[in-house]
Amino acid sequence: MASVEAVEAVDRGGFRTGVPEHHPVKEVPRALRRLVRRGPAAEKDCHPLYSCLFAQGGGLPSVAAAALPFLTALASDPANGARVTSSN
């Protein structure tokens, strides 16, 4: 599992979010830390991170590349639980 310290160590200086005027790059590590601390999370816990990684018109903002290893670690950690949208 990726540690919170590893999240903090990423130099995000050259990265941009999908909507930087509303979701600055500094929000990405905050959202990742929140997901790590909370453990199994509901869909609503993922929205802050999604807002940073979403690019209007498609594509991925550059910060998504930096976040990918941490997202992969969260998704593959059985202690963290599944983060899937309910069909109900």
Side-chain angles (χ1 to χ4, degrees):
M1 165 84 152
S3 71
V4 173
E5 293 82 18
V7 169
E8 296 302 325
V10 173
D11 178 11
R12 295 172 300 280
F15 295 118
R16 289 179 53 92
T17 63
V19 188
E21 58 275 11
H22 296 291
H23 303 287
V25 170
K26 66 182 179 183
E27 297 220 5
V28 173
R30 286 183 197 157
L32 287 168
R33 282 192 308 268
R34 193 175 308 117
L35 289 173
V36 168
R37 279 194 315 264
R38 290 190 181 188
E43 181 183 4
K44 68 178 173 56
D45 295 325
C46 299
H47 285 294
L49 185 60
Y50 176 78
S51 295
C52 292
L53 302 182
F54 172 75
Q56 294 177 344
L60 291 173
S62 57
V63 76
L68 185 60
F70 303 103
L71 294 173
T72 302
L74 282 169
S76 62
D77 182 0
N80 228 333
R83 289 185 168 87
V84 295
T85 303
S86 172
S87 60
N88 295 335

